[in-house]
């Protein structure tokens, strides 16, 4: 039975192993005897943003350590000390030669924004402005501060910032440096869609002057930002292969399909599809709960206004809007964790809620926690619908306090879905997940809604995730931190039109049904804008 996301074969039966193309007999780098091996290489190009697209643990950072001169690649021979001379010889006559020559002479300067930014407050003490000033090598800092809306936090202590603030500071710092090559390992974590678009715009601006390489798991942003992509595939933590660059449209489509045409390699045995018709599907659904018009005011500083509505059995509802607009507050009101000031939630529906920020210092094992949440742990259903797709089996015995961000997210999603409830609320489930895990997440959530007959509300900033799973949409707008207004649920077309108009972008669909952001001012953009059709023209 298809859920619409995969058409060919169930991902849970996907093969672990891919065949290695012959021309990739020798790795670019191998970490020791049984260590991870990277094949192929990414190529930074003048005047362009190049993306790397693939799951975590596949060698993306390793490639960047080589490109920034931190690792001399050993070309698979981990027993001899590597030398740049050997590497130069290896790459003679290729497009990487000039670049490697620059690294080997020690004259290359790379500016890097790391994937994990949580360490920044630990190594840098002091005010935001002092950190940023020390990176202002191109005289562009003022521009970045204004665009990324950092003015109001310049005097703040670095130790007292939110994830979204640290991310924007890290972006500004990386772009402000004067370097020969820029690398940004994920730009979107903690950012809302507005901030993601701004970050993309600033990176594109810089790429006119200098080569920029990015890793990004939000495909709508990657699609808009990069000109070419290298697809990274293989077996995480065992070996990874970087393809030659592909045009971004083709590259993303091949990635979703799981088949690399030029290489003639199928690296995944199911394909991910966007299903345009699901949004208009006339499904008869019973009402699960209704909520009245509600108001919530925090200390006279922030006010949220909610229009009444209903949630139906078995549907997945998307919820979109900028940061600080009241999305989590709404979720907490529905979950009964916050009392509204006006209006009253009277339904007695049972809610299971995954908060946006997951904190835990519990030393319990993952398995212990899951068993406490469900009595189905040993069932086939649980194994196939939860444990396998969310890749939890390898970490069942780990202590929850020691998990990485992505692992903890997957455990939190599993915990939320394990409980018996009428309505499941997931606040930002895509955060910290790689692109492969986001596809699986969408599938798990849809199937859960369908099989449980409950409702699922998903708050997220990844438009592809929202587009893939939602049947209807809540849209929040207003002034972040001051007032928020909740509209919906609306059907996808009405909701997305509302949201995209606010965002100022239009979307089209390509031949595969994948939504793509139109270039501002392009023919389609102007056409759709004047027709008021921001979402997509069929
Ligand atoms: P990605 O950036 O795609 O997540 P990485 O390049 O960070 O992947 O890592 C790929 C694999 O190489 C991982 O399994 C990682 O554990 C391993 N690895 C990374 N750095 C080293 C190292 N210095 N020594 C040994 N193994 C490493
Ligand atoms: P979102 O989920 O859309 O990012 P939130 O619902 O978390 O937004 O927050 C909306 C606004 O309400 C923010 O300005 C936030 O600072 C404020 N806020 C949230 N929770 C509280 C609280 N418990 N007390 C006071 N203000 C709060
Ligand atoms: Mg929130």
């Amino acid at each position: 039975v298809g859920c619409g996301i995969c058409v060919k074969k169930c991902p849970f039966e996907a093969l672990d192993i891919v065949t290695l193309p012959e021309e990739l007999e020798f790795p670019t780098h191998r970490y020791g005897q049984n260590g991870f091996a990277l094949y192929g290489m990414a190529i930074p190009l003048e005047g362009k943003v190049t993306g790397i697209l693939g799951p975590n643990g596949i060698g993306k950072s390793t490639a960047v350590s080589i490109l920034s001169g931190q690792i001399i690649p050993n070309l698979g021979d981990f027993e001899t000390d590597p030398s740049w001379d050997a590497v130069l010889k290896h790459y003679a006559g290729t497009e990487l030669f000039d670049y490697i020559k620059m690294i080997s002479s020690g004259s290359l300067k790379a500016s890097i924004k790391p994937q994990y930014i949580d360490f920044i407050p630990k190594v840098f003490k002091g005010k935001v402005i002092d950190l940023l000033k020390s990176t202002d090598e191109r005289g562009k800092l003022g521009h970045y501060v204004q665009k990324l809306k950092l003015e109001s936090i310049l005097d703040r202590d670095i130790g007292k910032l939110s994830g979204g603030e640290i991310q924007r500071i890290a972006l500004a710092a990386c772009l402000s440096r004067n370097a020969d090559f820029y690398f940004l390992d994920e730009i979107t974590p903690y950012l809302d869609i507005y901030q993601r678009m701004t970050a993309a715009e600033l990176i594109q601006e810089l790429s006119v002057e200098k080569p920029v390489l990015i890793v990004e798991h939000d495909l709508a942003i990657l699609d808009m930002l990069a000109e070419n992509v290298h697809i990274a595939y293989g077996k995480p933590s065992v070996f990874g292969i970087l393809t030659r660059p592909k045009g971004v449209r083709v590259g993303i489509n091949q990635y979703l399909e799981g088949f690399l045409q030029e290489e003639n390699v199928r690296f995944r045995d199911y394909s991910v599809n966007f299903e345009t018709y699901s949004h208009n599907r006339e499904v008869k659904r019973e009402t699960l709960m209704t909520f009245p018009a509600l108001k919530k005011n925090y200390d006279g500083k922030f006010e949220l206004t909610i229009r009444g509505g209903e949630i139906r059995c078995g549907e997945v509802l998307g919820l979109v809007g900028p940061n600080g607009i009241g999305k989590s507050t709404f979720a907490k009101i529905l979950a009964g964790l916050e009392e509204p000031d006006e209006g009253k939630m009277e339904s007695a529906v049972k809610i299971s809620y995954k908060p946006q920020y997951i904190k835990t210092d519990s030393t319990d094992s993952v398995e212990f926690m899951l068993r406490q949440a469900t009595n189905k742990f040993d069932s086939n259903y649980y194994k196939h619908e939860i444990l396998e797709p969310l890749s939890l089996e390898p970490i069942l015995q780990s202590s929850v306090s020691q998990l990485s961000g992505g692992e903890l997210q997957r455990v939190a999603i599993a915990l939320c879905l394990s409980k018996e409830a009428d309505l499941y609320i997931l606040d930002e489930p895509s955060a910290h997940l790689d692109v492969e895990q986001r596809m699986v997440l969408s599938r798990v959530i849809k199937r859960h809604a369908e099989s449980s007959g409950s409702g699922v509300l998903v708050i997220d900033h990844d438009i592809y995730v929202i587009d893939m799973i939602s049947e209807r949409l809540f849209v929040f707008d207003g002034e972040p931190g001051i007032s928020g207004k909740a509209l919906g649920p609306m059907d996808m077309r009405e909701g997305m039109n509302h949201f995209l108009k606010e965002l100022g972008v239009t979307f089209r669909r390509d031949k595969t049904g994948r939504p793509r952001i139109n270039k501002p001012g392009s023919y389609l953009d102007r056409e759709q804008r004047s027709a008021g059709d921001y979402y997509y023209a069929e």
Side-chain angles (χ1 to χ4, degrees):
V1 220
C3 61
I5 291 181
C6 82
V7 288
K8 298 212 167 82
K9 222 176 173 190
C10 174
F12 315 146
E13 297 162 20
L15 303 174
D16 284 344
I17 295 167
V18 297
T19 42
L20 217 54
E22 268 175 51
E23 67 272 22
L24 293 173
E25 238 170 285
F26 296 103
T28 309
H29 188 71
R30 182 189 287 281
Y31 293 112
Q33 181 81 56
N34 294 310
F36 175 85
L38 172 70
Y39 296 79
M41 199 58 209
I43 308 167
L45 289 178
E46 284 301 325
K48 287 190 166 73
V49 178
T50 303
I52 307 182
L53 171 56
N56 283 332
I58 208 79
K60 302 182 300 291
S61 306
T62 301
V64 169
S65 298
I66 294 170
L67 290 172
S68 55
Q70 293 163 36
I71 294 182
I72 305 176
N74 58 24
L75 305 171
D77 176 5
F78 48 86
E79 281 172 335
T80 323
D81 271 344
S83 78
W84 283 114
D85 284 343
V87 180
L88 277 167
K89 216 154 138 193
H90 182 80
Y91 285 99
T94 73
E95 63 250 86
L96 265 173
F97 184 78
D98 287 342
Y99 186 87
I100 289 178
K101 210 161 155 193
M102 192 154 66
I103 318 177
S104 65
S105 68
S107 65
L108 179 117
K109 206 181 146 203
S111 179
I112 295 178
K113 190 206 79 68
Q115 178 181 17
Y116 299 108
I117 51 170
D118 310 354
F119 73 91
I120 292 175
K122 286 176 202 134
V123 299
F124 196 94
K125 307 277 174 219
K127 286 184 177 176
V128 172
I129 183 72
D130 298 326
L131 165 69
L132 286 178
K133 267 195 181 146
S134 71
T135 64
D136 187 16
E137 296 169 353
R138 295 169 52 239
K140 284 279 202 175
L141 184 61
H143 175 58
Y144 295 140
V145 164
Q146 186 244 324
K147 281 284 193 179
L148 293 165
K149 300 208 168 84
L150 295 172
E151 292 102 337
S152 62
I153 56 166
L154 288 177
D155 284 326
R156 293 255 289 278
D157 185 31
I158 303 235
K160 297 202 179 93
L161 299 172
S162 70
E165 288 163 345
I166 298 176
Q167 187 69 273
R168 284 179 286 143
I169 289 163
L171 275 166
C174 173
L175 301 181
S176 292
R177 294 261 183 213
N178 188 16
D180 304 298
F181 159 60
Y182 294 79
F183 173 67
L184 298 110
D185 197 345
E186 290 198 62
I187 60 173
T188 64
Y190 305 110
L191 301 189
D192 67 29
I193 181 82
Y194 293 82
Q195 297 162 336
R196 290 174 189 207
M197 303 276 295
T198 305
E201 183 194 323
L202 296 177
I203 291 167
Q204 234 155 13
E205 226 173 69
L206 172 68
S207 74
V208 175
E209 297 167 40
K210 299 287 175 61
V212 183
L213 201 60
I214 61 160
V215 169
E216 184 49 56
H217 301 297
D218 179 327
L219 290 181
I221 296 294
L222 180 71
D223 184 50
M224 183 183 92
L225 176 57
E227 199 163 320
N228 295 314
V229 293
H230 296 270
I231 294 173
Y233 67 103
K235 193 169 177 178
S237 42
V238 180
F239 71 97
I241 303 167
L242 281 166
T243 66
R244 296 203 32 86
K246 299 170 187 280
V248 71
R249 180 182 62 81
V250 169
I252 291 180
N253 284 345
Q254 292 186 1
Y255 180 78
L256 293 171
E257 209 201 329
F259 180 68
L260 306 171
Q261 199 164 13
E262 292 78 10
E263 292 79 2
N264 194 23
V265 168
R266 175 161 291 287
F267 63 91
R268 196 199 305 117
D269 72 353
Y270 65 99
S271 86
V272 176
N273 287 46
F274 287 91
E275 192 191 11
T276 52
Y277 63 85
S278 82
H279 301 150
N280 321 325
R281 199 164 44 183
E282 282 295 320
V283 195
K284 273 265 172 282
R285 295 196 185 278
E286 307 268 321
T287 300
L288 173 77
M289 65 181 285
T290 58
F291 53 91
L294 299 161
K295 261 195 180 145
K296 174 78 196 170
N297 194 302
Y298 282 125
D299 324 319
K301 287 194 186 123
F302 177 80
E303 183 165 81
L304 175 65
T305 310
I306 298 161
R307 196 170 75 177
E310 63 156 13
I311 296 175
R312 302 172 186 158
C313 299
E315 75 175 341
V316 183
L317 288 163
L319 198 167
V320 291
N323 282 338
I325 203 77
K327 301 184 301 299
S328 298
T329 302
F330 176 57
K332 286 179 202 155
I333 292 174
L334 287 182
L337 299 171
E338 284 281 5
E339 276 291 317
D341 300 313
E342 279 178 37
K344 195 168 164 45
M345 290 294 303
E346 41 200 327
S347 58
V349 295
K350 237 168 106 187
I351 287 173
S352 177
Y353 174 57
K354 184 201 82 66
Q356 177 179 15
Y357 297 104
I358 319 159
K359 269 185 269 163
T360 176
D361 34 31
S362 157
T363 51
D364 289 339
S365 72
V366 171
E367 177 169 344
F368 181 83
M369 282 194 118
L370 293 174
R371 279 187 186 280
Q372 281 192 317
T374 180
N375 53 18
K376 295 196 194 117
F377 186 88
D378 295 304
S379 70
N380 262 328
Y381 171 85
Y382 202 75
K383 181 176 163 65
H384 291 300
E385 299 294 328
I386 304 282
L387 296 178
E388 278 180 8
L390 294 173
S391 308
L392 296 176
E393 285 167 323
I395 55 167
L396 283 178
Q397 300 319 316
S398 308
S399 147
V400 192
S401 58
Q402 287 170 351
L403 301 176
S404 72
E407 289 167 344
L408 192 58
Q409 182 70 271
R410 273 144 44 218
V411 170
I413 292 165
L415 277 173
C416 175
L417 298 181
S418 292
K419 294 175 187 146
E420 290 288 333
D422 303 307
L423 178 65
Y424 295 85
I425 304 177
L426 297 140
D427 200 343
E428 287 211 63
S430 79
H432 309 298
L433 298 189
D434 67 33
V435 56
E436 201 67 28
Q437 292 161 346
R438 289 178 199 208
M439 307 294 149
V440 172
L441 165 80
S442 303
R443 188 167 189 277
V444 166
I445 289 177
K446 266 175 102 160
R447 289 172 69 102
H448 188 79
E450 235 143 74
S451 68
S452 68
S454 305
V456 183
L457 175 65
V458 179
I459 303 173
D460 214 279
H461 296 297
D462 182 321
I463 293 212
Y464 278 15
V465 168
I466 288 288
D467 193 77
M468 267 189 276
I469 57 177
S470 316
E471 220 169 278
R472 294 194 299 153
L473 198 64
F474 277 105
V475 181
F476 279 52
D477 64 19
E479 219 176 316
I482 295 169
S483 67
K485 185 169 73 175
L487 300 175
M490 296 174 261
D491 69 43
M492 276 304 275
R493 182 167 212 125
E494 186 190 353
M496 283 299 261
N497 259 337
H498 195 97
F499 176 58
L500 295 177
K501 192 169 181 179
E502 193 72 28
L503 191 60
V505 298
T506 58
F507 266 70
R508 68 181 179 287
R509 298 237 172 212
D510 75 0
K511 274 181 258 160
T512 68
R514 175 163 68 87
R516 304 192 72 201
I517 299 174
N518 287 319
K519 261 205 170 51
S522 65
Y523 175 75
L524 271 178
D525 184 56
R526 283 180 287 133
E527 183 103 316
Q528 285 181 232
R529 246 171 233 275
S530 65
D533 214 356
Y534 285 75
Y535 191 27
Y536 56 86
E538 265 137 312

